[in-house]
Amino acid sequence: MSACVPTRHDHSSRSSRPPRSSGVKRPHSPPPPHRGGRFRIAGADLSASITVFLLAIPMSLGLAVAMDAPLEAGLISAAVGGIVAGLLGGTPLQVSGPSAGLTVVTAELIQIYGWRTTCAITIGAGLLQIVLGSLRTARSALAVSPAIVHGTLAGIGVAIALAQLHIVLGGSPQSSAVSNALHLPAQLERAGPAAPLIGGLTIAVLVLWPRIPGRAGRNMRRIPAALASVAMATAVAALAAPSIARVDLPSWRSHALPEMPQGPLLGLATAVFTMMLVASLESLLAAVAVDKLAADRSREQSAGPVAGSDGTRAGELSTGSDNVRTGEPAADAPDGAPAAAAPPVRRSDLDRELRAQGIANTISGLLGGLAVSGGAVRSSANVRAGATGRASTVLHGVWVLLATGFLVTALEWIPLAALGALVMVVGIQMVNFAHIRNVHRHREFLVYGATITGVLLFGVLKGVAIGIAVAVAVALHRLARTRISTSDHDGQHLVVVRGQLTFLAVPRLSRALGQLPQDADVVVELDGFFMDHAAYELIHDWSNAHAAHGGRVAFTGRSGGRIAEPASAAHSCCRPWTPWRNHHCHDGPEHVPVTATGSPAPARTSTEPSTPGPAPAATAATAAATAVTAEGKALPTHPTAEAPEAAPPPACPDHHAPDTSGTRSGPPLAPEALGHADGDARPSPDHADHFAPDHRSARPLPAGSQRLVSGLSSFQRNTAPLVREELARLAKEGQRPSQLFITCADSRLVTSMITASGPGDLFTVRNIGNLVPPSDSETGDHSVGAAIEYAVDVLGVESITICGHSGCGAMNALLSTRPEGSETALWRWLRHGVPSLERMASRDRAWARISGRMPADAVEQLCLTNIVQQLDHLRAHPSVARRLAEGTLQLHGMYFHVAEAQSYLLTEGASAGNGLDEVFDPVSPSHPSPSPSPSSSPSSAPSPAHAPTDPAELARTGA
């Protein structure tokens, strides 16, 4: 059964869809986008290109200032990145250009080799990217530890922020991050008031612009925060600080082009490799993030607008599970106009993207521009502005190219302090606290911190090397670190192995196992996710030898589940429709079993033999590593010695023979009467009047709230991503269920599970006792009748099922106490079940029964009879009667035996109200059993003297 992703019919046209019984499934995926051969420009791409262009101009100039490169070089790289990488790239929505990640690398190369040699290094890095892209190595680049990648970018961000702080203070940056930090006090002493104020104004606008509330804020956010901040700073500087340092664009006639590189070959090769590595990693990570951002946008548009979405922060680019706030605007539709759904965008071709980045870098270097890479800031703005294809990226490059020729005068009014503040904020945002939390949660913070420190102290390439070395050392330490402990609990020996079992741990493990008595009862708890061949051979040989000497060995995981259990049991933790106690593996201490003395039960030391019931599951990591070896064999268990019998769980039978010797006009019904219909599920008559709930034994509310939140979190994490697309389709098309399903409110009945249905399949009504009050009843609850009328007349369901179940507490209560004298809400409701009680007592009607046997007791008899009686009530409803007369509605009676997990269907004749016998047939795993033939009725059944002896015939006739 597919519990998470149900398969459904396409309801786009109700009149033309195939019948539900045909089994025809139609895909829900949208048609593939039209692939025209021409370069198409949509209106959304045009507007998005303008948004990205307005963001790219100040960013390009600011990065050029940060690198101490010619300012026109930043504009060249923006134009080349937009046009060349946009046309040839494998990520249509990614916008390329000068990047903050390359700031430190480029600035260092310019100081060492000069600008013209740096352009030649950029060409070499581009050619190397083309080669690597042709060799299809792009995916391999993503194999680097995220802690190293994010640590590298965070180190670069810190270095950028320290360098640009000097520019904001009116000075010039030093050659390294350490020098910038050391010279910062002196820079603060000689800083004038103009540059810091303009920089502070720029930072304030950058931070506050995306947070302007209301309609005015939504309209203002259409302008990128970077453009708004630089424009305001430029206007204020023009009025208040006319002598402040500004952008100085030299004449294009003096623009410097690359020259043949000069310097040591090893140094040049290292420079080329460093530039290629940083540019490629940043571009590929941005491409993956753009894919996720585009997918999120498609889901949001499919689900429609959400109330309160005005407060959503604009400009957050998803990178993995984290966000990088960039301050770009979100594309808002005009007021009252529905947002147009963007067509689906194909996933990135990373190898093609890497080749395109290499071509763009080669051309940019030849033209005297900065190195190019895909950027999160511009790409986020492009996606959120509504871009649908690569046309927006290309057009943005065209606008930048035009601006370099026609907007030089306007660009020269921009203060350098404003550009420095803009780039400083970008650098600070590269140190992402969500990344830090992620790294810390995965115990990789040491690698992250070592990478940042290495980048700041020794440069990017050496910092990456340090991070890799620390990551390898940490991995080896974790692989080699194994803790082995032994303990003795009442004659049972517990050996706990924490960590990975490799050949390095074999001597210590062999020593610990060898010290155990030969005939001892041993439990070996393996808490790790890796076991090599040497460790497996040791454990296998020792367990065989120990069993040969009369001992007993059991292998468990950390949660206590036996590793030698079948894989379906060992790996069932937190999977759909597994034994429910296995779903609490993520719960807190409140779910630990408690002994009779009130103390927590000993954990992970039980040695009771396996029972047919579900066993606690081992953790996924432990089971995956230790349950099955490389040869596919489970670790052995040897039950050669008698194991102490553990106390069995409380029995919960599904039937109980109630006292039907008389009727009592009832006292208020105790809650226990609606639980399991067994001996302890019903208060004795002597104590019914004195019932008082024991609030001291009730479970504290915080624990229940914790379980609720834990379950919701589990759904959001595991199931929601799988069903979100289907639910979005249902939200758009509306519900069109095929069945009305009326059943009991009993918590053991999971309707979607037993019917293998999913969202939108069943219109479900649940109440105590699966009762259907007669349509002419004026004393009862009308909610059931309203639901029937709505399902039949409005939703047009094709069938109605009334489902009862074994051990029904309502039926048990009816048998125990007649509800005539009580005025409680529960007893007033149960009066609708009195006709079922009278039907069962009548001698004029055949007893409802299960095919092949008689009811086990009076409770089961009443449960079956109640289904048939409620079907009679259902037929009397005007809406149902009309549809039945038209032949467009079917009624079904269903009985679910909880303990057997077995469904039974009432025969078709009895369900229609004209059957001679009321027999429930079992539903087989392959297909439903055929309805009994007329010969199975009592009138045509063979006499006892000639009763059939064939088991199949006995099962068919119920004799």
Side-chain angles (χ1 to χ4, degrees), residues 44 71 155 176 242 250 267 307 391 431 435 494 512 541 545 553 569 629 685 715 769 799 909 950:
L71 298 184
S176 66
V431 185
H435 290 158
L494 175 64
D541 295 341
V553 183
T629 67
F715 167 80
S799 67
D950 180 68

Side-chain angles (χ1 to χ4, degrees), residues 407-424:
L407 297 180
V408 173
T409 303
L411 296 178
E412 289 182 339
W413 280 92
I414 300 175
L416 292 179
L419 296 179
L422 173 63
V423 178
M424 186 178 72

Side-chain angles (χ1 to χ4, degrees), residues 502-516:
T502 65
F503 65 95
L504 298 175
V506 165
R508 289 187 292 128
L509 180 60
S510 177
R511 189 181 309 114
L513 296 177
Q515 293 174 354
L516 299 174

Side-chain angles (χ1 to χ4, degrees), residues 591-689:
H591 303 300
V592 175
V594 179
T595 63
T597 61
S599 60
R604 305 184 295 275
T605 60
S606 65
T607 58
E608 68 272 15
S610 299
T611 64
T619 60
T622 305
T626 57
V628 180
T629 67
E631 294 82 10
K633 299 178 180 179
L635 290 176
T637 54
H638 300 281
T640 56
E642 289 296 329
E645 288 290 333
C652 296
D654 285 320
H655 48 78
H656 172 70
D659 180 13
T660 58
S661 59
T663 60
R664 292 180 289 134
S665 58
L669 183 65
E672 287 89 336
L674 295 178
H676 295 275
D678 34 323
D680 58 353
R682 194 175 79 249
S684 64
D686 299 335
H687 299 85
D689 293 324

Side-chain angles (χ1 to χ4, degrees), residues 796-840:
V797 296
E798 299 168 3
S799 67
I800 303 178
T801 301
I802 294 182
C803 175
H805 66 96
S806 63
C808 181
M811 300 300 103
N812 180 60
L814 282 172
L815 285 170
S816 304
T817 306
R818 294 288 294 224
E820 276 128 6
S822 176
E823 291 301 323
T824 66
L826 181 57
W827 277 119
R828 285 197 298 270
W829 172 255
L830 288 180
R831 286 172 184 167
H832 298 300
V834 173
S836 301
L837 201 62
E838 295 172 348
R839 185 187 188 109
M840 187 181 76

Side-chain angles (χ1 to χ4, degrees), residues 245-628:
R246 304 177 189 274
V247 169
D248 183 16
L249 289 174
S251 171
W252 286 104
R253 297 174 183 173
S254 59
H255 180 65
L257 296 176
E259 65 178 4
M260 289 298 296
Q262 300 177 0
L265 181 59
L266 181 60
L268 292 172
T270 302
V272 170
F273 181 79
T274 303
M275 182 173 288
M276 180 278 303
L277 177 65
V278 176
S280 300
L281 283 177
E282 190 169 16
S283 298
L284 295 177
L285 290 174
V288 174
V290 167
D291 279 349
K292 296 179 181 178
L293 191 62
D296 291 342
R297 182 185 67 176
S298 299
R299 279 196 298 268
E300 292 171 2
Q301 292 175 343
S302 299
V306 180
S309 59
D310 292 346
T312 303
R313 291 184 300 177
E316 290 191 353
L317 176 63
S318 173
T319 55
S321 61
D322 312 314
N323 294 331
V324 179
R325 191 182 311 154
T326 58
E328 282 89 40
D332 297 307
D335 295 336
V345 180
R346 288 180 298 172
R347 294 189 62 183
S348 296
D349 182 345
L350 297 184
D351 294 304
R352 178 180 175 182
E353 180 66 29
L354 186 57
R355 291 194 299 270
Q357 294 292 331
I359 296 173
N361 272 316
T362 303
I363 296 177
S364 179
L366 288 172
L367 296 178
L370 295 173
V372 171
S373 72
V377 176
R378 292 179 296 270
S379 300
S380 171
N382 191 39
V383 175
R384 295 189 179 276
T388 61
R390 62 181 74 248
S392 63
T393 303
V394 177
L395 286 176
H396 128 270
V398 173
W399 307 144
V400 172
L401 187 62
L402 294 176
T404 58
F406 300 103
L407 297 180
V408 173
T409 303
L411 296 178
E412 289 182 339
W413 280 92
I414 300 175
L416 292 179
L419 296 179
L422 173 63
V423 178
M424 186 178 72
V425 171
V426 174
I428 293 173
Q429 290 174 352
M430 292 174 71
V431 185
N432 194 300
F433 288 101
H435 290 158
I436 296 176
R437 286 194 301 269
N438 237 1
V439 167
H440 185 269
R441 185 167 63 247
H442 291 88
R443 299 188 302 169
E444 298 267 335
F445 189 78
L446 180 62
V447 179
Y448 182 84
T451 306
I452 292 180
T453 304
V455 170
L456 292 175
L457 296 179
F458 307 108
V460 174
L461 191 60
K462 294 180 180 178
V464 171
I466 292 173
I468 293 174
V470 174
V472 171
V474 170
L476 291 176
H477 173 71
R478 291 174 180 171
L479 190 62
R481 185 185 181 190
T482 306
R483 289 175 293 176
I484 302 172
S485 61
T486 59
S487 58
D488 185 0
H489 300 280
D490 299 329
Q492 183 184 77
H493 295 266
L494 175 64
V495 180
V496 180
V497 182
R498 296 275 188 269
Q500 319 327 316
L501 273 176
T502 65
F503 65 95
L504 298 175
V506 165
R508 289 187 292 128
L509 180 60
S510 177
R511 189 181 309 114
L513 296 177
Q515 293 174 354
L516 299 174
Q518 292 184 348
D519 57 349
D521 186 4
V522 181
V523 176
V524 180
E525 179 185 316
L526 302 176
D527 180 16
F529 56 83
F530 177 76
M531 178 190 299
D532 68 3
H533 187 257
Y536 172 77
E537 287 292 339
L538 169 67
I539 293 178
H540 185 271
D541 295 341
W542 172 82
S543 62
N544 288 335
H546 192 77
H549 286 85
R552 182 180 181 276
V553 183
F555 294 90
T556 71
R558 186 173 187 176
S559 64
R562 291 177 180 273
I563 294 177
E565 292 169 349
S568 59
H571 296 275
S572 61
C573 183
C574 296
R575 300 291 179 88
W577 312 136
T578 52
W580 250 246
R581 62 175 174 173
N582 288 345
H583 281 273
H584 305 316
C585 59
H586 53 271
D587 289 348
E590 68 275 11
H591 303 300
V592 175
V594 179
T595 63
T597 61
S599 60
R604 305 184 295 275
T605 60
S606 65
T607 58
E608 68 272 15
S610 299
T611 64
T619 60
T622 305
T626 57
V628 180

Side-chain angles (χ1 to χ4, degrees), residues 91-259:
T91 309
L93 299 183
Q94 176 160 274
V95 182
S96 301
S99 172
L102 289 166
T103 301
V104 175
V105 176
T106 306
E108 184 179 0
L109 293 178
I110 292 175
Q111 290 180 357
I112 296 175
Y113 298 105
W115 169 244
R116 300 183 68 181
T117 301
T118 301
C119 291
I121 293 174
T122 302
I123 297 173
L127 295 175
L128 187 55
Q129 284 180 310
I130 296 174
V131 173
L132 294 177
S134 301
L135 295 176
R136 297 188 170 276
T137 59
R139 289 284 175 186
S140 301
L142 298 179
V144 181
S145 170
I148 298 175
V149 174
H150 296 314
T152 302
L153 296 178
I156 292 173
V158 173
I160 291 173
L162 289 173
Q164 297 311 296
L165 183 56
H166 285 269
I167 296 179
V168 171
L169 295 175
S172 300
Q174 304 300 315
S175 58
S176 66
V178 176
S179 298
N180 284 321
L182 294 176
H183 287 80
L184 191 57
Q187 183 65 54
L188 288 171
E189 291 178 359
R190 59 176 180 269
L197 289 176
I198 294 299
L201 174 64
T202 306
I203 295 173
V205 175
L206 274 172
V207 173
L208 298 177
W209 190 263
R211 294 169 172 79
I212 301 177
R215 183 187 298 271
R218 186 167 63 252
N219 294 329
M220 293 173 67
R221 285 197 299 270
R222 297 177 184 274
I223 303 174
L227 178 64
S229 62
V230 172
M232 284 189 182
T234 301
V236 172
L239 297 175
S243 60
I244 194 172
R246 304 177 189 274
V247 169
D248 183 16
L249 289 174
S251 171
W252 286 104
R253 297 174 183 173
S254 59
H255 180 65
L257 296 176
E259 65 178 4

